[in-house]
Amino acid sequence: MRKWRALILGNGKNQGRKNVIWNMIGSLLFALASIVLFAAAARAAGEYAGGIFSIAFTTGQLLLTIGYYEVRPFQATDLAGQYSFSDYFSARLLTSAAMAVAGAAWVGVQRPEPVKAAVILLMCLYKLVDGVADVFEGEFQRRGRLDVAGKSLAFRTVFSGGVFVLVVSWSKDVVTASAAAVAAAVFAFAVFDLAVIGEFDSLAISGAWKKVFGLLGDCTSLFIGGFLYLYVCNAAKYAIDAHMSAEAVTYYTDLYLPTSTINLFSGFIFKPLLTVMGTSCGRGEWDKFRNLMGKLLLGIAALTAACCLGAFLLGVPVLSLVFGHDLSPYRSALVILILGGGFNAAVMLLYYALTTMRKQKLILFCYGAAFLLAVGTASPLIKSQGIFGGAICYTGVMAVLAALLLTCCLYQYHKVKKQ
């Protein structure tokens, strides 16, 4: 066990570079996992099963917002130690239990067909493991070891995802493969996170439940906003599932998955800078904070432009080859979705900025407005324009949300500068 821990922790040299590299590797693999798992399910079990798996995976991700409760951004920037790891861990046990109950309630209310219900419940459990592991990774990050968090994410993603791909390829059954992935994720969490956390803090239930509920209270606005945000991201997919076929869900998912590319690569840069953002706010270095945010937003804009051009020139043939479906009728929808991915990356950056400034209620206001817009536009656009309408819905709502968050950030900046 000691040798295994030593292998994970490394020698402590070149820590800054290791933090960036392993965060990049872990984030890349985690983002690619959804693409790989969906592609494997659709190819091995067929387009209909692929559509079911896509909705189940999306639902598990949506319910994961309950498990996360958006504590990670708060935890990673809690450099003063307002809350202990036992507080964060105890809070995560409560939110994970709530996530499991919500998953069962979702299936009970929706009453999908048996196969779809089984896959949704299994994907809820699969994501629940991610939720529990996240609080360990958040502690690694808070202690300056983002590399260990990246290694944890990479190991769990590769191991559980690899098991899913092997089992679905062999069995041609998404239920069996999903169950195997859950078991693999639990094993990976046990042999990595549980084995390492003792090097940073003791694994214990908090004895100060007032502090635990205080932590959840501090993050409630972030949680509600995060839940609304994830629904906004997937409103079009749910509308397609309601008004079109499972095969249409598969085609939309083919086009939607690459939108995470911009968010992924921008995250490589700004996630390691969360502690820098927290330090700047804590010291009142607002010009440094503003300049950092401006440079990151410009980088996102440049990356978005490059990705849109690449999607227009190469996106359709590459995605058709990867997923095995003819996507040539959807070139325009793909480019619009990629543009929406750029707005999404800006949204996440601005979200972290407002979280660092501890302006959770402003985030909730912005997400609430975007949620209402998505609810009001998704179904009409899908009914009239099909998959293209889904792309318009996603990108339009993301653009509005980014504009609202940017306005709030600028307002807060000018407010603190006057003080």
Side-chain angles (χ1 to χ4, degrees), residues 228 232 365-375 397-398 400-401 404:
L228 296 177
V232 165
F365 167 77
C366 294
Y367 282 2
F371 171 79
L372 294 176
L373 181 60
V375 170
V397 173
M398 281 296 155
V400 171
L401 180 54
L404 289 172

Side-chain angles (χ1 to χ4, degrees), residues 212-404:
V212 172
F213 286 107
L215 168 62
L216 293 176
D218 285 337
C219 297
T220 295
S221 296
L222 293 175
F223 156 65
I224 298 173
F227 188 88
L228 296 177
Y229 162 75
L230 202 55
Y231 179 84
V232 165
C233 289
N234 295 288
K237 184 184 290 187
Y238 281 116
I240 290 172
D241 184 50
H243 302 294
M244 299 177 72
S245 64
E247 288 79 4
V249 175
T250 297
Y251 297 143
Y252 179 81
T253 305
D254 291 345
L255 302 169
Y256 176 81
L257 286 174
T259 64
S260 62
T261 302
I262 303 169
N263 214 353
L264 173 67
F265 284 102
S266 59
F268 291 161
I269 301 173
F270 72 71
K271 282 188 178 179
L273 294 175
L274 279 177
T275 52
V276 177
M277 293 164 63
T279 301
S280 298
C281 285
R283 295 176 178 174
E285 298 172 344
W286 296 109
D287 287 335
K288 179 180 178 180
F289 183 81
R290 181 203 61 185
N291 292 336
L292 176 61
M293 293 296 298
K295 291 177 181 179
L296 291 173
L297 287 172
L298 286 175
I300 289 172
L303 182 60
T304 301
C307 288
C308 285
L309 179 61
F312 179 78
L313 297 175
L314 302 172
V316 166
V318 170
L319 292 177
S320 296
L321 179 64
V322 170
F323 295 114
H325 313 134
D326 180 18
L327 300 174
S328 56
Y330 307 115
R331 184 187 300 273
S332 297
L334 174 62
V335 175
I336 291 172
L337 281 169
I338 294 296
L339 177 61
F343 286 122
N344 191 2
V347 164
M348 292 308 300
L349 175 61
L350 295 166
Y351 161 83
Y352 280 117
L354 285 171
T355 301
T356 303
M357 299 166 87
R358 298 298 189 248
K359 297 299 178 182
Q360 296 96 313
K361 292 183 179 179
L362 287 178
I363 294 173
L364 179 58
F365 167 77
C366 294
Y367 282 2
F371 171 79
L372 294 176
L373 181 60
V375 170
T377 59
S379 290
L381 283 170
I382 270 73
K383 288 179 180 178
S384 63
Q385 300 293 327
I387 289 176
F388 183 78
I392 293 293
C393 173
Y394 171 76
T395 300
V397 173
M398 281 296 155
V400 171
L401 180 54
L404 289 172

Side-chain angles (χ1 to χ4, degrees), residues 12-26:
K13 297 179 180 179
N14 301 314
Q15 196 57 53
R17 186 175 65 180
K18 290 178 180 178
N19 284 348
V20 173
I21 291 174
W22 277 108
N23 173 67
M24 185 181 299
I25 293 172

Side-chain angles (χ1 to χ4, degrees), residues 9 47 64 85 87 110 115 142-143 193 205 253 257 281 283 292 326 328 403 418:
L9 294 172
E47 294 178 4
L64 180 56
F85 174 65
D87 296 331
Q110 295 290 328
V115 170
R142 185 166 69 143
R143 300 300 184 93
D193 299 278
I205 303 295
T253 305
L257 286 174
C281 285
R283 295 176 178 174
L292 176 61
D326 180 18
S328 56
K418 291 180 180 179

Side-chain angles (χ1 to χ4, degrees), residues 104-169:
W106 182 291
V107 171
V109 172
Q110 295 290 328
R111 295 188 179 276
E113 60 178 290
V115 170
K116 193 173 185 178
V119 180
I120 288 175
L121 289 174
L122 287 168
M123 282 298 102
C124 179
L125 290 175
Y126 182 71
K127 287 298 176 182
L128 189 148
V129 178
D130 282 340
V132 175
D134 176 75
V135 77
F136 288 74
E137 292 161 12
E139 190 62 20
F140 301 151
Q141 182 178 3
R142 185 166 69 143
R143 300 300 184 93
R145 295 303 302 267
L146 188 58
D147 62 318
V148 178
K151 290 176 183 179
S152 168
L153 186 59
F155 178 72
R156 191 175 66 258
T157 300
V158 170
F159 186 74
S160 62
V163 168
F164 178 89
V165 171
L166 290 174
V167 174
V168 79
S169 299

